Amino acid sequence: MHSRRGRGRGYYRQPKSEPTIPPSRTNTMKAKHSMKHSSKCCGEVEMRLGLNESEILFLNQLKQLWMMLKKSTQVIDLIMNYYRQYQGNPYEQALRLLFNCNDFYNSKPNSLPVFIIEHFKSFKKEQQNRLQVFLTPEIKLNAYKLMLKQNASSLTKLVAEIFEMSASKEIFVDLVKCLIDKKQYKEACQSIILFNLQEQFELEDCLIPLIYQDKLFLLDDYLACSQRIQEEFVVYLDKLLGMPSIRQAVIDFAATHNVQEIKWEKMQGKSFKKLLVRLTKKFDLSTHLTPNLNKRRNAGALNFLMQKRYSGDGFSDESWKEMVQEAIGDDEDLQKELLHQLNYYEDLAEALKWAHFYNVDKEHWPHTLRVFADNRAVSTRGYGQTEYWDEPQPSIEYYKLGLDVDAIRMVDSASTFQDFLDRGLKDVDIVGIDCEWKPSFGLQKSELALMQIATRQNVFILDVPALSSKAPYAWSNLENMLFKKSNILKLGFSLLNDQAVIEDTISGLKFGSKQFGFLDLLSLWNALGKYPEVILPHAQSGGPSLSTLVHQCLGAPLDKSEQFSNWDKRPLRLSQLVYAALDAYCLIEVYDVIRRCCDRVNCPFEEICYNLMMHNKDSKKKNKKPKGKDNQKASVEIPQPECHITEDITVDRIKLVCDTMLQGLGKKLRRCGIDTAILENNHDHMECVQLAQDEERYILTKGTVFNKLVGYVCPGYCYRVMSEDVEVQLKEVLEYYHIKVSKADVFSRCQFCNECCFVKIGRSTMQLMASQNQPTRFAPPPPCYMDEATGFSSDDDDYYDDDAHYTPERKWDLVPDENIDVGLRETRRGVKIQMAHIPEDILNKAEVFYICEQCGKVYWDGSHLERVLHGALQDIVQ
């Protein structure tokens, strides 16, 4: 049997999920210096803390009275008289009383230590002039050293205020340095914040170590004092995002500064990106400080645009071009990435257009695009230059605006706005209201670009940025003449979203709970569910969108290809104006159709609308938890039907889709080798139904969403997950559908994109690709984007032990390495291989690598598979 030296009973090996920081001579010397410095600066309090016999008697008397009477007049008089009669330094005596209380170390707001110091504050105010001489720097320093011994920050702040420590903050600098040397980063940060000493210290001294230890609760207070420090910290985080390996950067920092207890599971790009976004927004910092974050966000925007264009929703040509240019800008890496993503989606004609548009050097084109361009050049030789941007698009029958183009009025000046108020709203009893804003992929909030107000004769398009500068009074006038007029019915669809953006953009315009005549057609549509006799003219399935409602009422859907446009760009295209006008005008038409349908079957339409509008005013009251028998229906849930699968099945006989609330469960199911689609956070729940119908998937969801989805599929095809724990959720699903997982199933599917086709290549080929030092590209978006997931061994598991792993047969499709373009570092699908995430030591140790053909993720055999089989999946795998 093979064995290794040092193994046996009592042997301990550092877990590889927490890298060991190598010791160094510098760190050893630094530690010795720290001990000497600590004994000097952070030693014991240099004052007598014990009490004499009379003081002990007094404190016992105070404790007994406090137990019985708390903050009574008798107890207050006792402590105040004691302070008045004391002959020594009253500051020192107050500290000794504090220290000798039983609950000093964990003082609560209503505890005896707090009572003692609060009334010392009253005594100090009474004897201000006499006590000033006792308040020496030594007393202040001793007081703070004493406060460091306990855990109540509120008590520390109170003592700091009474002892006027901020007035002598320089004396605490050495003490803070001592805390840093002792690796007490939390206490050091608290002290820096308390005394406003941020300018005296570098970020690396204690703030960054705290962040690496995932102790973020002091961060905002630390940064609040100075914009310079805010910018420095944001720049530091952004540099981390730009590094090839964040984990390695943290290891290097920890080794240099001798930082321990690092939360390694948090040392990933997503954690730092979220923190960076939050801080940039909170402190309103310039996006010029975060080029790496901007690049990531723009890459994410490009991924989103690709999914939007090729998922079936589509764009108009002009909107597509505008938004791609907005996302890419002048970034040459993203320009090249655009070509690779279009190649991934097999749209070579579109890729060729952008290659010429951005004048991308041909050596950066994907191989298939070069071949396509050469063939196209041969086929068009002699026929002149081909125009790339005017290829015909498939035509779909959409609903058209029922007004002439002349009826669309642009309101972008003081005169046109006044004309709109005087004539456009004259004798009007109903309007449709809609808003447009440019999609925001960066750090800035979405700001309102247009507000459309439709009457039965015209649609007025208010240019919000222009009116804000040319007619600043416009919004108060509009509020008084329209929004506050209860005799004008104001229609919208999902009104709360539009109102939120309006309030964020237009200062002073607040809708609040007191609204006048606003009716949300989405709420009206939902309310009709209680009246099955009301049948809309054109039965049509689909999610709860305005386009679906228009289809059901007016016979055709809306063309949403202009929805994702650059609405800030002027002048607006005619297609944009027509799209914006129709979104508002169709609300009136839909309202009329619903009204006629209700009148036809004697449904109380007016009463329904009135109740919905009153609900807007009293939404807070309505949201209270229902009580009593009359409201029992509100909590009734549709029971879970029995599963039609009665015998055990293998993982390849079932396909699942996880709702947005179950993304963690989706990862676990993929780990078990189950074909699992996962909805993103911005997806609608109804997309589960679409995937279930199109791809024969079983739906997994939670809570009341189950009631909504279960009726769209056959019994047993929708399962309500009950547990909040993801491990228990996994067992629930496997038991309900009788799914049996074998060892060969585990990690047989890419955790990142759900693909099961891998390219198997050797170490030498991988090292050759790694040595080329080509710019790292962003992988094309998988069908459902999620956080970087672990594999059987991946970049999250840099531990490699030749004797600690084994390689079972897995149920996957392996293709030969001829399918790899080594020069371009791409799979045969044109996907860039994710080389940047492979640790260097793994490149030199692993014999075989497996590359996902769908997303380019690289895996290798390691210890992770064995740990999972003997850990989380121990009771699951057969």
Side-chain angles (χ1 to χ4, degrees):
M1 181 183 298
H2 181 77
S3 63
R4 299 188 63 168
R5 177 184 290 184
R7 297 246 176 129
R9 184 174 300 177
Y11 174 78
Y12 174 76
R13 180 174 61 202
Q14 178 77 13
K16 284 296 175 177
S17 58
E18 298 183 5
T20 305
I21 308 302
S24 65
R25 179 177 176 83
T26 304
N27 289 336
T28 305
M29 296 296 293
K30 201 178 280 187
K32 291 180 179 178
H33 173 74
S34 298
M35 292 177 61
K36 293 178 181 178
H37 189 65
S38 299
S39 62
K40 180 179 178 181
C41 299
C42 278
E44 293 298 319
V45 180
E46 297 174 5
M47 56 175 279
R48 182 174 61 87
L49 292 175
L51 300 177
N52 58 34
E53 186 176 347
S54 61
E55 291 169 340
I56 292 173
L57 289 174
F58 166 76
L59 185 57
N60 288 336
Q61 181 186 5
L62 180 62
K63 289 177 181 178
Q64 291 174 2
L65 280 177
W66 174 259
M67 292 277 294
M68 295 184 294
L69 305 176
K70 296 298 182 185
K71 294 183 180 181
S72 64
T73 304
Q74 185 176 357
V75 180
I76 294 172
D77 289 343
L78 178 66
I79 188 69
M80 291 297 288
N81 288 333
Y82 179 80
Y83 287 141
R84 292 176 185 129
Q85 295 169 9
Y86 187 74
Q87 299 300 314
N89 188 329
Y91 287 99
E92 188 174 314
Q93 184 63 6
L95 293 177
R96 286 206 297 272
L97 291 176
L98 277 181
F99 179 74
N100 285 279
C101 289
N102 296 336
D103 46 358
F104 166 72
Y105 292 98
N106 292 286
S107 303
K108 299 292 187 293
N110 291 322
S111 62
L112 180 57
V114 175
F115 173 81
I116 288 173
I117 201 65
E118 281 179 341
H119 286 83
F120 180 76
K121 181 179 179 180
S122 301
F123 168 69
K124 176 187 173 184
K125 188 175 181 180
E126 176 186 294
Q127 305 282 336
Q128 183 70 44
N129 295 331
R130 185 176 71 85
L131 297 185
Q132 195 62 39
V133 67
F134 295 105
L135 194 55
T136 63
E138 291 76 14
I139 283 290
K140 295 181 181 182
L141 196 56
N142 281 325
Y144 194 67
K145 286 181 180 180
L146 189 62
M147 289 301 101
L148 289 174
K149 295 178 178 291
Q150 52 85 47
N151 300 317
S153 59
S154 57
L155 180 60
T156 300
K157 291 177 181 178
L158 185 58
V159 170
E161 176 192 348
I162 294 171
F163 282 67
E164 303 176 23
M165 294 182 185
S166 295
S168 308
K169 62 182 183 179
E170 294 80 10
I171 66 174
F172 300 101
V173 172
D174 285 341
L175 186 143
V176 174
K177 290 179 180 178
C178 169
L179 293 172
I180 293 171
D181 288 342
K182 294 175 69 176
K183 311 305 176 188
Q184 295 178 356
Y185 299 116
K186 182 187 75 171
E187 291 78 4
C189 271
Q190 288 174 329
S191 304
I192 291 172
I193 294 167
L194 184 62
F195 303 123
N196 197 22
L197 294 172
Q198 287 90 332
E199 297 290 348
Q200 306 281 345
F201 294 90
E202 300 295 331
L203 295 174
E204 292 84 351
D205 290 336
C206 62
L207 186 61
I208 291 174
L210 264 188
I211 301 305
Y212 289 162
Q213 293 176 344
D214 196 34
K215 297 176 181 178
L216 305 178
F217 58 95
L218 295 171
L219 178 60
D220 290 7
D221 290 338
Y222 192 103
L223 299 177
C225 70
S226 166
Q227 183 176 347
R228 179 189 66 79
I229 296 176
Q230 295 162 12
E231 292 177 350
E232 284 184 3
F233 187 67
V234 163
V235 168
Y236 179 86
L237 291 180
D238 189 70
K239 286 181 179 178
L240 270 183
L241 286 183
M243 292 182 177
S245 170
I246 292 177
R247 191 182 183 88
Q248 187 59 49
V250 177
I251 291 173
D252 294 341
F253 180 92
T256 303
H257 295 79
N258 194 24
V259 180
Q260 303 298 324
E261 300 179 3
I262 291 176
K263 295 291 185 182
W264 293 107
E265 65 272 19
K266 297 289 187 178
M267 300 300 106
Q268 53 179 305
K270 182 183 176 184
S271 301
F272 289 108
K273 187 175 81 169
K274 288 175 65 175
L275 176 60
L276 190 52
V277 169
R278 183 180 71 79
L279 294 176
T280 308
K281 287 182 177 179
K282 178 180 178 63
F283 296 115
D284 194 24
L285 301 177
S286 171
T287 56
H288 296 299
L289 300 170
T290 57
N292 293 306
L293 175 62
N294 298 340
K295 191 177 186 106
R296 286 196 176 211
R297 297 297 291 264
N298 289 339
L302 179 59
N303 288 348
F304 170 80
L305 294 173
M306 287 291 174
Q307 291 187 24
K308 186 74 177 173
R309 180 174 176 85
Y310 295 102
S311 65
D313 295 338
F315 282 90
S316 70
D317 279 346
E318 288 298 324
S319 295
W320 162 250
K321 286 192 288 185
E322 284 178 354
M323 298 312 297
V324 168
Q325 293 177 56
E326 180 81 13
I328 291 178
D330 298 326
D331 192 316
E332 294 183 359
D333 286 339
L334 287 180
Q335 292 169 8
K336 299 169 190 174
E337 176 63 17
L338 173 62
L339 304 187
H340 286 271
Q341 293 227 25
L342 289 169
N343 179 56
Y344 166 79
Y345 284 106
E346 300 180 353
D347 194 347
L348 296 176
E350 186 71 18
L352 188 57
K353 297 171 188 177
W354 286 105
H356 287 293
F357 180 80
Y358 282 121
N359 196 26
V360 178
D361 194 306
K362 200 167 184 177
E363 70 174 281
H364 298 298
W365 295 11
H367 175 70
T368 49
L369 179 59
R370 292 200 293 267
V371 174
F372 175 81
D374 292 341
N375 293 338
R376 185 162 183 164
V378 171
S379 64
T380 59
R381 188 172 298 154
Y383 295 95
Q385 179 66 36
T386 301
E387 176 55 51
Y388 291 124
W389 297 107
D390 295 326
E391 294 185 359
Q393 299 294 322
S395 58
I396 300 175
E397 201 61 43
Y398 291 113
Y399 188 70
K400 306 295 183 184
L401 179 64
L403 297 173
D404 293 335
V405 175
D406 294 340
I408 303 174
R409 307 288 179 83
M410 195 70 183
V411 180
D412 56 3
S413 65
S415 59
T416 54
F417 179 74
Q418 193 59 49
D419 184 68
F420 157 65
L421 293 178
D422 295 340
R423 301 182 185 182
L425 295 180
K426 186 177 181 181
D427 300 326
V428 167
D429 61 352
I430 185 172
V431 297
I433 299 176
D434 190 54
C435 297
E436 306 294 344
W437 53 86
K438 185 181 76 173
S440 175
F441 301 112
L443 300 177
Q444 292 82 13
K445 287 184 179 180
S446 297
E447 292 196 354
L448 193 62
L450 299 179
M451 185 188 302
Q452 307 97 269
I453 300 176
T455 67
R456 294 190 182 277
Q457 293 77 32
N458 299 97
V459 181
F460 299 91
I461 299 183
L462 279 58
D463 188 337
V464 175
L467 290 176
S468 297
S469 59
K470 298 177 183 178
Y473 56 86
W475 310 120
S476 59
N477 289 346
L478 183 65
E479 184 179 19
N480 293 327
M481 297 190 67
L482 178 61
F483 294 158
K484 288 187 176 180
K485 290 283 186 180
S486 56
N487 60 332
I488 301 179
L489 179 61
K490 294 163 280 290
L491 305 173
F493 188 89
S494 192
L495 263 171
L496 291 178
N497 292 336
D498 287 346
Q499 289 176 347
V501 177
I502 291 172
E503 290 181 346
D504 284 343
T505 305
I506 303 172
S507 59
L509 186 55
K510 301 294 180 185
F511 291 93
S513 59
K514 190 176 182 181
Q515 298 181 12
F516 303 85
F518 284 90
L519 177 63
D520 190 337
L521 291 185
L522 176 58
S523 301
L524 176 60
W525 189 14
N526 291 332
L528 294 181
K530 299 178 181 178
Y531 302 89
E533 66 274 14
V534 178
I535 302 175
L536 299 179
H538 306 276
Q540 192 65 229
S541 62
S545 66
L546 179 57
S547 181
T548 303
L549 181 58
V550 169
H551 201 166
Q552 292 185 4
C553 292
L554 305 175
L558 294 175
D559 182 0
K560 306 301 288 186
S561 60
E562 292 288 351
Q563 181 179 21
F564 286 91
S565 294
N566 186 352
W567 293 102
D568 291 340
K569 188 178 180 180
R570 299 292 182 270
L572 294 169
R573 301 187 307 276
L574 177 60
S575 58
Q576 287 179 298
L577 292 172
V578 172
Y579 168 86
L582 179 56
D583 263 13
Y585 187 75
C586 71
L587 298 173
I588 300 176
E589 296 179 295
V590 166
Y591 173 83
D592 290 341
V593 170
I594 295 177
R595 180 168 193 151
R596 288 196 296 269
C597 292
C598 289
D599 291 344
R600 193 177 298 123
V601 295
N602 295 321
C603 177
F605 178 77
E606 298 285 354
E607 181 181 342
I608 295 172
C609 294
Y610 176 79
N611 289 335
L612 289 172
M613 289 189 285
M614 292 303 295
H615 177 79
N616 286 338
K617 296 181 181 180
D618 302 323
S619 57
K620 292 184 179 179
K621 295 180 181 178
K622 298 290 183 181
N623 285 336
K624 288 184 178 179
K625 190 175 181 179
K627 296 180 181 179
K629 295 182 179 180
D630 296 337
N631 291 318
Q632 283 183 354
K633 290 183 178 180
S635 59
V636 173
E637 292 185 344
I638 299 175
Q640 177 73 54
E642 291 186 9
C643 181
H644 61 283
I645 301 175
T646 56
E647 298 180 353
D648 292 347
I649 62 172
T650 56
V651 300
D652 55 352
R653 291 182 55 193
I654 191 168
K655 294 193 292 186
L656 305 172
V657 53
C658 285
D659 203 354
T660 54
M661 302 170 285
L662 297 172
Q663 293 172 344
L665 172 60
K667 297 178 184 180
K668 299 291 184 182
L669 290 165
R670 285 182 180 174
R671 176 180 288 183
C672 293
I674 301 173
D675 186 344
T676 308
I678 306 174
L679 263 60
E680 298 180 42
N681 293 331
N682 61 340
H683 283 170
D684 188 89
H685 301 296
M686 291 301 295
E687 295 196 29
C688 285
V689 176
Q690 194 68 42
L691 285 170
Q693 294 171 349
D694 294 346
E695 303 177 11
E696 299 182 2
R697 293 183 181 273
Y698 292 75
I699 299 173
L700 304 179
T701 187
K702 283 188 70 179
T704 56
V705 179
F706 173 82
N707 299 342
K708 176 181 177 181
L709 302 182
V710 69
Y712 287 92
V713 293
C714 298
Y717 273 73
C718 185
Y719 177 70
R720 180 198 287 119
V721 175
M722 303 303 296
S723 176
E724 296 295 331
D725 183 272
V726 69
E727 303 293 347
V728 180
Q729 291 174 353
L730 177 61
K731 292 181 180 179
E732 270 189 57
V733 174
L734 297 179
E735 290 174 3
Y736 181 76
Y737 288 112
H738 301 280
I739 305 170
K740 298 303 176 184
V741 181
S742 68
K743 290 182 180 179
D745 295 319
V746 178
F747 294 134
S748 63
R749 189 169 292 278
C750 179
Q751 309 297 284
F752 186 65
C753 70
N754 200 38
E755 178 62 58
C756 62
C757 188
F758 294 83
V759 183
K760 181 179 179 180
I761 66 172
R763 181 201 299 170
S764 59
T765 305
M766 185 62 74
Q767 288 176 334
L768 177 61
M769 290 191 291
S771 66
Q772 293 174 358
N773 292 324
Q774 293 186 8
T776 302
R777 300 197 185 283
F778 301 92
C784 175
Y785 181 81
M786 63 169 74
D787 299 338
E788 203 163 309
T790 61
F792 42 92
S793 190
S794 182
D795 55 289
D796 69 311
D797 181 20
D798 57 8
Y799 170 60
Y800 190 90
D801 187 342
D802 294 325
D803 303 312
H805 75 276
Y806 62 95
T807 309
E809 293 295 326
R810 295 194 183 87
K811 295 179 179 178
W812 52 14
D813 298 327
L814 283 180
V815 295
D817 58 5
E818 289 81 2
N819 289 276
I820 292 294
D821 188 326
V822 176
L824 291 174
R825 299 198 300 184
E826 292 180 351
T827 69
R828 63 178 175 176
R829 301 183 186 180
V831 176
K832 280 293 175 182
I833 300 171
Q834 299 183 38
M835 302 292 299
H837 304 293
I838 308 173
E840 186 175 352
D841 60 331
I842 296 297
L843 280 172
N844 298 324
K845 290 179 181 178
E847 293 291 340
V848 179
F849 294 86
Y850 307 90
I851 302 171
C852 174
E853 281 213 311
Q854 179 82 355
C855 67
K857 181 78 172 172
V858 181
Y859 298 91
W860 55 89
D861 288 313
S863 62
H864 194 59
L865 174 61
E866 186 178 3
R867 292 206 304 269
V868 169
L869 289 174
H870 292 85
L873 300 183
Q874 185 174 8
D875 300 328
I876 292 174
V877 175
Q878 299 294 310

